[in-house]
């Protein structure tokens, strides 16, 4: 069993042509650890522009997509459209989609199902809110979220699970390596029990929430942390340090 370390950047609603060129330049300069899979989640309007600027060892992801291939859904984009322009990854279920835009577990499951049918690689995000952690409900919340996703996955080679505790996102309050490892460990055990040994052994479970150049190395040493989903720091040159955390 050896899981390739996976590092994603999630630019969220940030970036313009000039800024994207700067990011592409520091990623080109790297050097990036060749043993790491690197994906950046780009605003939809810049997917093609970014794809043309990035070095070949970094690929783009969409930050969202809809649950059907086409139709009267103003403002949405579909997996078919992403595939049509050569995009192979999509982030689904991010906490900002869940909590700002009201996406439910049910809608996220439908989106994951359709993205899988369309052969996109999915970064499926889960994570508890602060009040849920403080109420001792972390396990219950993440198990219910992963169950919703697991029920629709048909190809486990095309999915990365991102554990992102909501209280750690954009707050500077990173989960400690022990806190993150504890949840990654129980998620892997859940997959072992409810899906299979093979899936549990092979799937990448990555951590997101205030990952920086300063904390990535310690987090990367935990046995069940297989990479990161990075927000703010993925817009800065320190993203290279995070990609290289295992070196
Ligand atoms: O998708 C990334 C997460 O929301 C983490 O964002 P952050 O690194 O800015 O805390």
């Amino acid at each position: 069993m050896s899981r390739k370390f996976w590092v994603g950047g999630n630019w969220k609603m940030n970036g313009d042509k000039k800024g994207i060129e700067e990011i592409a330049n520091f990623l080109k300069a790297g050097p990036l650890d060749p043993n790491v899979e690197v994906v950046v989640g780009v605003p939809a309007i810049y997917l093609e522009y970014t794809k043309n600027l990035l070095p070949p060892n970094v690929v783009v992801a969409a930050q969202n997509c809809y649950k059907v291939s086409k139709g009267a859904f103003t403002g949405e984009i579909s997996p078919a459209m992403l595939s049509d322009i050569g995009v192979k990854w999509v982030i689904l279920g991010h906490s900002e989609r869940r909590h700002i835009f009201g996406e439910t577990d049910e809608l996220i499951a439908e989106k994951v199902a359709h993205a899988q049918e369309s052969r996109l690689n999915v970064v499926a995000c889960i994570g508890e809110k602060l009040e849920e952690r403080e109420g001792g409900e972390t396990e219950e919340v993440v198990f219910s979220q992963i169950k919703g996703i697991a029920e629709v996955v048909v190809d486990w080679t095309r999915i990365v699970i991102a554990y992102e505790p909501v209280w750690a996102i954009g707050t500077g309050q990173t989960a400690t390596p022990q806190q993150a490892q504890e949840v990654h460990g129980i998620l892997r055990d859940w997959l072992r029990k409810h899906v299979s040994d093979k899936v549990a052994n092979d799937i990448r479970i990555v951590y997101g929430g205030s990952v920086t150049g300063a904390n990535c190395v310690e987090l990367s040493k935990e046995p069940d942390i297989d990479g990161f989903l990075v927000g703010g720091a993925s817009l800065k040159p320190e993203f290279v340090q995070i990609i290289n955390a295992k070196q």
Side-chain angles (χ1 to χ4, degrees):
M1 169 212 71
S2 113
R3 297 184 290 268
K4 187 169 191 179
F5 207 69
W6 187 100
V7 177
N10 178 7
W11 296 355
K12 309 190 179 185
M13 198 176 71
N14 292 297
D16 54 20
K17 285 184 173 179
K18 187 169 170 290
I20 291 170
E21 204 182 325
E22 285 163 14
I23 294 172
N25 285 342
F26 70 64
L27 289 170
K28 271 183 212 151
L32 308 183
D33 183 338
N35 300 312
V36 177
E37 189 168 356
V38 184
V39 177
V40 286
V42 175
I45 195 168
Y46 293 122
L47 279 165
E48 273 206 293
Y49 176 76
T50 307
K51 203 153 69 70
N52 292 332
L53 288 180
L54 288 174
N57 49 349
V58 181
V59 304
V60 293
Q63 297 177 4
N64 186 26
C65 66
Y66 199 49
K67 62 178 180 176
V68 294
S69 62
K70 62 179 179 178
F73 302 102
T74 302
E76 293 294 320
I77 55 171
S78 72
M81 292 168 177
L82 295 173
S83 297
D84 193 36
I85 62 162
V87 175
K88 295 185 165 46
W89 283 89
V90 65
I91 300 170
L92 291 173
H94 189 278
S95 77
E96 287 144 20
R97 300 296 322 168
R98 291 175 186 268
H99 303 304
I100 300 174
F101 300 101
E103 293 195 6
T104 59
D105 283 348
E106 191 190 2
L107 175 61
I108 292 160
E110 289 174 316
K111 289 182 173 194
V112 172
H114 183 58
Q116 280 250 310
E117 270 167 37
S118 312
R119 304 186 70 75
L120 283 184
N121 298 297
V122 173
V123 187
C125 304
I126 61 175
E128 81 287 0
K129 293 188 272 192
L130 182 60
E131 59 267 31
E132 293 165 337
R133 172 162 284 261
E134 288 176 346
E137 294 162 16
T138 299
E139 184 173 305
E140 189 187 320
V141 170
V142 297
F143 283 179
S144 143
Q145 290 171 333
I146 199 162
K147 180 168 182 282
I149 291 162
E151 280 170 355
V152 298
V153 171
V154 288
D155 182 352
W156 285 95
T157 67
R158 290 182 189 273
I159 189 152
V160 165
I161 301 292
Y163 168 60
E164 302 202 303
V166 179
W167 48 271
I169 294 178
T171 59
Q173 197 193 335
T174 323
T176 64
Q178 295 69 30
Q179 283 173 320
Q181 167 57 32
E182 191 186 351
V183 179
H184 285 227
I186 61 167
L187 287 169
R188 205 177 299 286
D189 290 345
W190 189 94
L191 290 164
R192 197 174 304 286
K193 186 165 167 207
H194 297 280
V195 185
S196 70
D197 267 339
K198 178 161 173 53
V199 166
N201 291 339
D202 291 351
I203 196 163
R204 272 89 56 91
I205 305 177
V206 304
Y207 168 77
S210 298
V211 175
T212 65
N215 58 34
C216 62
V217 173
E218 286 309 307
L219 285 159
S220 76
K221 288 179 184 160
E222 295 297 333
D224 289 301
I225 297 182
D226 306 312
F228 303 115
L229 184 58
V230 185
S234 71
L235 300 161
K236 305 178 197 161
E238 77 178 289
F239 188 48
V240 171
Q241 252 177 285
I242 299 172
I243 292 166
N244 295 339
K246 293 292 258 188
Q247 280 185 332

